[in-house]
Structures are given as structure tokens and as C-alpha cells.
Amino acid sequence: MDNKAENALENSRQLEYIEKTKELIANKKKALGRELTFHVTTFGCQMNARDSEKLSGILKAIGFIEIPDEDKADFVIFNTCTVRDNANQRVYGRLGTLKAQKKKNKEMKIALCGCMMQEETVIEKIKSSYSYVNLIFGTHNIFKFAELIYTMYESDRMVIDIWKDTDKIVEDLPVDRKYPFKSGVNIMFGCNNFCTYCIVPYVRGRERSREPKEIINEIEKLSKDGVKEVMLLGQNVNSYGKGLDNGISFPELLKEIEKIEGIERIRFMTSHPKDLSDELIDVMKNSKKICRHLHLPLQSGSTRILKAMNRHYTKDSYLALAEKIRREIPDIAITTDIIVGFPGETKEDIDETIDVINKVKYDGAFTFVYSKRTGTPAASMENQVTEEFVKEHFDRVLNTVQERAKDRAVLKTNSIEDVLIEEINDHDATMVTGRLSNNLCVHVKGTEELIGKIVTVKLTECNGFYYMGEIVD
Ligand code: SAH
Ligand code: SF4
Ligand code: F3S
């Protein structure tokens, strides 16, 4: 059987499990005389968030009801992240708190999944210190969630199902979208880049692209369902299509998505600088729908450190690329990720990073403290830097990033922009918050009816990283 046929078979097997588990849950609810509730917590990136939507989709399909309070749920699912150690520590902390809750609610089940679960040391720790966890699975088999829930209810021991890798891409299972008007869309899974500090290739497996036809079908369906903005997700979208039989490139895929009626905004992440093509710049420049935002992770501005990170570009080639993008698409926002404290890093290396920040003038950046990840090449490098070094230099980087971002944001004050309204303002219920094409936020007077609509807004005031605005018609 070829891969496609196998995936289709697995899909129907899982749909059968959804029915079977639905029956099981219905019987449980009858016996209890009440509903069963769930809560999914996402700890990681946008891909992790998209996986959580798939978990919720299956849970709702089998008859669970979502509630906002994790402690009160009958089924708590932690979709974990392990990219930096603080994400792991948060999971252990929350698991500790849940122990007491589980004693109070006899029905409570706890499941752990996501990237952290792909690490053997984590599984050992959970088995020995958190034996009250009911189900553990990984990143490669979330499509089996209904089947795993069935097994969990049939078993009185901890159920563990972790796959090392997979070539399966199971399509067409239920998904419960968080927003009605925008959606993430996986275009590829895994990563083959092996940046020396990064654990993602070990926990997400080898790079696999979805068939263009499947992606287009999914986005057409989303559009019919009212979605206006899609975010195409992959660890390195620029290598999309490699390994597919009649593989198309990422820019070609973008052109196909542009044709889909009803989709008004297209975003994507992440773009690795090493293989961002002129074709991509050209397609972005000529597109009416691709947002004016490019996330282009730098990690370090020092060519020496970039080499040790296995990033396959230099300070100069990165600067040349950023300059070309700014020249071709002048209104684009460029954002980035920076790591401070990589093994062997010196004050001079940090100076190089700051130089790049000043030259590219990022519109925004995430600055991370280097976190040692067991099993990655950087973890066994001898020249690990001290906490003092990080303390001394982290703020220098952060301040430069913030100053440049403010310089950039202020340039748009008083301009008129299209804004997709996303939610009621957190602090003032008479206001709503939306996003510009360049991904910055704006707050305007308005009510719930505006959510999901694209409106024209005058940016009246810039407050550093966001704007206050007025709707103009
Ligand atoms: N695939 C994306 C990044 C995914 S991880 C890319 O290559 O751009 C998101 C960010 O986490 C990375 O860009 C990096 O800045 C940061 N990161 C990854 N591993 C890290 C580590 N060990 N310590 C600190 N930050 C890390
Ligand atoms: Fe990690 Fe590098 Fe892959 Fe990004 S490209 S996920 S940083 S290994
Ligand atoms: Fe994402 Fe964290 Fe996994 S960043 S890919 S959830 S390790």
C-alpha cells in the first residue's frame, strides 16, 4: 500500500474511533448524570496551538464540553513545549497543583502531549514523580487522540504512546478553531536544519511537506467557513515542497493560495534566512493579500557564532538580504528572534548583534536567554557562558530592540490602514483591538459586531508598540 492509501485508511480508522469513544463518553455521562468537561493548555508555538485546536476538535466531537478553568475540568490536557527549559518547568509546576484537584475529583484525567513528551528523560521523570498522569503521547500521533482516550478509559494504568518519527500525515479529522475569522494552516511538519542549540528537530522529526492540493482544499473550506486570514505554519517555510513528487516551491504555493476567494490576508512563519529566495520577495511584492510582515530570525549578528549555531548565513549575507527586502517592499515590517548567551559568546559578539539590530531596524523582536537542551550539540560545547554574562548583556540587546521598534512604529502615526478587528480590548470593554497588515496592534472604539471585519483606521497615536486609532469610512 502506498503512503497516501495508508493515510486514508488511518483516517477512516480514527473516524471509527471517534464514534466508538463518543458512545463510551455518552455512557459515562449517563452513569454520572452530568456532562464531562475538558481544558486544553497550550505551552508552545503556533504549531503547538494548532495541534491544540485538533485536540479540542476531537474532544468536542466525542461529547466533551470545554470549560475555561483547568482545575475544574474532568479532563486536563497539557500540550507541552520544550524549546527552552522554562517551558518545561511551568509544566511540572502546573502538574504539581493538579495533584490535589485530582484527589477531589475522582473523574479527573490528565493527559500530557507535545514536544516535551518526545524526550525520554521527561517520560522517566513523569513515571517516577507524577504517576497520577493518565495518558502520555507525543507530537507524531496526535491524530490518534480518540483511540488513545478510548484506551485510557479502558485501562487503569498510565497509557504511554510515543513514536520516534513518522511519515504519516492524517488529514480531515475534526478541528476546533479558536477564532472564527483566522486560522493557522500547517504546510509542513518537522525540521531538518539542526541549528546546534535547538531541540525542535529531535522532538518534531524530519521535515515533511503536505501536498499542495490538501493545503488548498483546507484553505478553501476555511474560506467558506468565514476565515479571512490564514497563517501558513512550518519551521522553515522556505524549504516547502522538498521531497514531494511534483513538488512546488513556497512562492508557487503562495500564488495558488492568493487565488482563493474570500481569503483576504496571508501570513506565514517561519522563514529561515538561509534560503529565502528572490522569487519569494517578488511574490510578496506583487501580492495584494500577503501581509507586509516577515519574521526573519537572526539568532546572532556574529558570523563566528552563526557558524557555531549551524545557521548557514553570515552577518553580511543577512544584512544584504534584509536590505534587499526593505528596498523591494518598503512598507514591510521585519521581526526577528535573538539568542543571548550561546556557548562561547563574547561582548564583541553581542556588539555585532546590536549592530545588526541598528542596521536592520527591526519592527519587533523576541530576545531569548540561551537555554541548554540535552542532546543538542551546543549542550556539550565546553565554553558555556555564565549567568553574569547574560545578565550584563541581555538588557543591552533588549533595549536596542525596543528603541528601534519604537522608531519604526512612530513612522506610521497618522497614516490610514486596513485593520482586521480581532477581539474586545482587554482593559476597556468599549474598545476593540485589531491588527495591521504589518502585525502591529491598534485599539479603536467599537463593539463586538466588528470582530472578524476588516475596517479602515486612522492611526492617531503611537504608544511604542501599538497604536490608538479611529475608524474612518
Ligand atoms: N524554526 C524557527 C524557530 C523555532 S523555535 C526558526 O528557525 O526560525 C523559536 C525560537 O526559539 C528560535 O528562533 C530561537 O530564537 C529560540 N530558541 C530555540 N532554541 C533555543 C534555545 N536552546 N535557547 C534559547 N532560545 C532558543
Ligand atoms: Fe530549530 Fe533551527 Fe529548525 Fe528553527 S530551523 S526549528 S531554530 S533547528
Ligand atoms: Fe513549538 Fe516548543 Fe515544540 S516552540 S515546535 S512547541 S518545542
Side-chain angles (χ1 to χ4, degrees), residues 196-197 299-311 313 339 341-346 348-350 353 381 383 385:
T196 54
Y197 51 82
Q299 315 301 0
S300 165
S302 154
T303 297
R304 191 178 71 85
I305 296 292
L306 285 169
K307 192 156 197 297
M309 286 176 161
N310 193 32
R311 288 290 289 179
Y313 52 86
I339 297 176
F342 184 82
E345 203 168 30
T346 62
E348 287 68 36
D349 295 314
I350 303 277
T353 299
M381 290 180 184
N383 41 5
V385 302

Side-chain angles (χ1 to χ4, degrees), residues 1 4 26 45 86 131 155 159 167 187 213 295-296 327 338 347 355 364-365 402 442:
M1 209 181 344
K4 252 186 217 164
C45 62
N86 50 11
S131 54
S155 160
V159 176
D167 54 5
I187 63 166
K213 213 170 75 218
H295 188 64
L296 195 64
R327 189 175 62 233
I338 293 166
K347 176 188 174 295
D355 187 41
Q402 289 181 345
V442 55

Side-chain angles (χ1 to χ4, degrees), residues 44-48 80-83 115 199-200 203-204 235:
C45 62
Q46 266 142 329
M47 255 167 266
N48 199 237
T80 65
C81 169
T82 186
V83 77
C115 295
I199 201 161
V200 171
V203 296
R204 285 273 170 178
Q235 293 298 352

Side-chain angles (χ1 to χ4, degrees), residues 4 14 22 33 40-41 88 176 190 294 351 373 386 390 446:
K4 252 186 217 164
Q14 289 308 320
K22 193 173 168 180
V40 180
T41 308
N88 299 45
D176 174 41
L294 190 67
D351 289 342
R373 309 318 286 135
T386 60
V390 172

Side-chain angles (χ1 to χ4, degrees), residues 191 193-195 197-198 200-201 235 272 311:
C191 181
N193 290 304
F194 291 96
C195 302
Y197 51 82
C198 184
V200 171
Q235 293 298 352
H272 195 307
R311 288 290 289 179

